[in-house]
Every structure is written in C-alpha cells, then in structure tokens.
C-alpha cells in the first residue's frame, strides 16, 4: 500500500466512522480537493452509470432536476453531457460545492443538510438523482425526502452499492410501495466502482 493509498483509507474509514453530519461534513470538506482524482483512481463509474440509467426514464432535457448530495459535481457533469440543462445541486459540504461550482453543470448550488430537507418545498422538481450518498451513514429516509420534493409522476433515481440494498434502500422502497406513494420503474445492476465488491444498484421510482 502506498502512502497515498493509506491516506485514502484514512478518509474512507473516517466516513464510515462518522456519527454526526458535522463529522461527515468535516471529512468531505477536507477531502474535496483530492476527491475527483481519488475517485477516478478507484474507477468510480457510478455517476456515469447513474446518468445513463436515468436518461431513458426522463429524456426531456429541460427537466428540472435535483442532484442530492452532488459533491464535486460528477453527476451534474454526466447529466450535462447527456444534454440536461436545468440541474440544481445540494450538498452538506461547502468545500465540495465550491468544486461543483467550477463545472458549470448546475443552475444553483446550495449547502444543505438532508436532515433539514424541509427547506426544499414539496413537489418542486421533475426528477431527483442521488448517487453515492445512501448507505450506512445516510439511510433510506432520504428516499422519502426525495419523493417529497419531486412532483407527482416525478422520477427519483438513486445509485447505491449493491451490498447495502437489503439493509438501506430496499426497506424504504417496500414501505413506500406499501403506502401507495411510489411505483418501482426499474432496478438495474451495473458497475459502481471497478474492482472487487463494487456492483451498484441503479434504482428508478415514480412518485404517485
Ligand atoms: C460519496 S459523495 C458523492 C458525491 C457525488 N454524488 C458523486 O457521486 O461523486 C457523498 C456526498 O454526500 C454528501 N452528504 C452526506 N451526508 C449529507 C447530508 N446529510 N446532507 C447533504 N449532503 C450530504 C457529502 O457531503 C458528499 O459530498
């Protein structure tokens, strides 16, 4: 393991050990300047595959899209390449947002903690996309918030590591289906990150 790998492992361990949103924000603020390079080195293809699996369900390029947990803007850039013009990004970390600003992929960028997601009015977006955020730290309740902020018939599309589906996203999806709040549109397995243990679930739901 090189020194660089060790540094990266320290960051990944800190994310998994984070107990509060302040801890999470501190890690991402610190990581922001190396994030894109580190993720490229790790073969992080989730943003690209999320944009590709989102496109068939919302091909209208003028769609008003929320990128929740946009980080440095990798998802916004992938969506922009596909022709999307109206993307807002929100993220906990002002330093990650400062990098996203430089991509010119977003109409607006705002610092926001999802746990205070009431800041975003109900039924505001045509679609919401969320990549690399759901997991043991940010749980399935985030899917409820994303459903709340899209319009009826709006799309929520998220990418999560396949190994966390059963414990994190599946219970939330089943609960929302049982409540008649959503329909499941698609659930595609594709690479999340190249290498071992790196399959992703790219899930599309529609608000009813
Ligand atoms: C692994 S990064 C993914 C960023 C981007 N979507 C991507 O795929 O590169 C996770 C992002 O979620 C953000 N995040 C984590 N918890 C959050 C919360 N409670 N509210 C808002 N953003 C949060 C972090 O600041 C970080 O930028």
């Amino acid at each position: 393991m090189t020194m660089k790998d060790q540094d990266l492992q320290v960051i990944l361990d800190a994310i998994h050990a984070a107990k509060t949103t302040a801890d999470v924000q501190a890690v991402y603020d610190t990581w922001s300047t190396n994030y894109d390079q580190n993720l490229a080195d790790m073969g992080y293809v989730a943003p690209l595959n999320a944009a590709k699996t989102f496109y068939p369900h919302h091909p209208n390029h003028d769609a008003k899209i929320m990128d929740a947990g946009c980080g440095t803007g990798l998802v916004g850039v992938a969506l922009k390449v596909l022709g999307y013009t109206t993307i807002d990004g929100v993220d906990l970390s002002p330093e990650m947002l400062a990098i996203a600003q430089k991509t010119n992929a977003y109409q607006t960028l705002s610092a926001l903690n999802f746990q205070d997601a009431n800041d975003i009015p109900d039924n505001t977006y045509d679609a919401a996309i969320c990549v690399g955020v759901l997991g043991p730290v940010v749980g399935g309740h985030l899917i409820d918030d994303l459903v709340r902020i899209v319009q009826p018939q709006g799309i929520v599309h998220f990418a999560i590591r396949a190994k966390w589906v059963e414990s994190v996203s599946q219970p939330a999806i089943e609960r929302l289906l049982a409540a008649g709040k959503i329909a499941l549109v698609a659930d595609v397995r594709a690479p999340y990150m190249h290498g071992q243990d790196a399959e992703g679930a790219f899930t599309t739901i529609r608000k009813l």
Side-chain angles (χ1 to χ4, degrees):
M1 200 183 252
T2 65
M3 187 61 200
K4 199 170 142 193
D5 289 336
Q6 282 175 359
D7 290 346
L8 182 57
Q9 194 56 51
V10 168
I11 292 169
L12 298 176
D13 289 347
I15 291 171
H16 292 130
K19 298 247 182 306
T20 66
T21 46
D23 295 340
V24 175
Q25 181 189 329
V27 175
Y28 281 105
D29 277 344
T30 306
W31 194 12
S32 57
T33 46
N34 292 325
Y35 178 91
D36 286 359
Q37 186 60 57
N38 288 160
L39 271 285
D41 292 346
M42 291 159 75
Y44 182 55
V45 288
L48 187 62
N49 281 334
K52 278 167 65 179
T53 51
F54 170 80
Y55 178 76
H57 305 294
H58 220 309
N60 171 12
H61 286 148
D62 297 330
K64 188 170 162 61
I65 302 171
M66 161 57 61
D67 179 6
C70 62
T72 57
L74 297 177
V75 175
V77 169
L79 290 172
K80 187 179 175 190
V81 168
L82 289 176
Y84 293 98
T85 57
T86 315
I87 312 164
D88 289 343
V90 298
D91 199 278
L92 191 60
S93 161
E95 300 297 334
M96 296 287 272
L97 288 166
I99 311 262
Q101 185 73 51
K102 295 181 189 158
T103 66
N104 290 322
Y106 295 91
Q107 200 164 58
T108 70
L109 287 164
S110 316
L112 179 144
N113 178 353
F114 293 132
Q115 281 157 12
D116 306 328
N118 287 334
D119 289 356
I120 303 174
D122 296 2
N123 308 328
T124 303
Y125 287 91
D126 297 314
I129 190 163
C130 182
V131 180
V133 181
L134 285 162
V137 180
V138 178
H141 58 86
L142 173 59
I143 299 172
D144 294 69
D145 285 329
L146 300 178
V147 168
R148 181 183 65 74
I149 65 170
V150 299
Q151 295 177 4
Q153 301 305 315
I155 289 288
V156 173
H157 186 69
F158 59 86
I160 179 172
R161 280 177 184 264
K163 66 180 178 184
W164 291 330
V165 164
E166 198 178 329
S167 59
V168 177
S169 56
Q170 196 170 300
I173 296 294
E174 285 174 1
R175 178 170 44 72
L176 288 161
L177 282 169
K181 293 188 173 173
I182 61 161
L184 182 61
V185 176
D187 192 21
V188 174
R189 298 298 161 113
Y192 185 95
M193 200 172 272
H194 288 307
Q196 227 185 347
D197 191 21
E199 189 183 43
F202 298 81
T203 306
T204 316
I205 58 181
R206 185 182 297 281
K207 178 173 179 173
L208 297 177

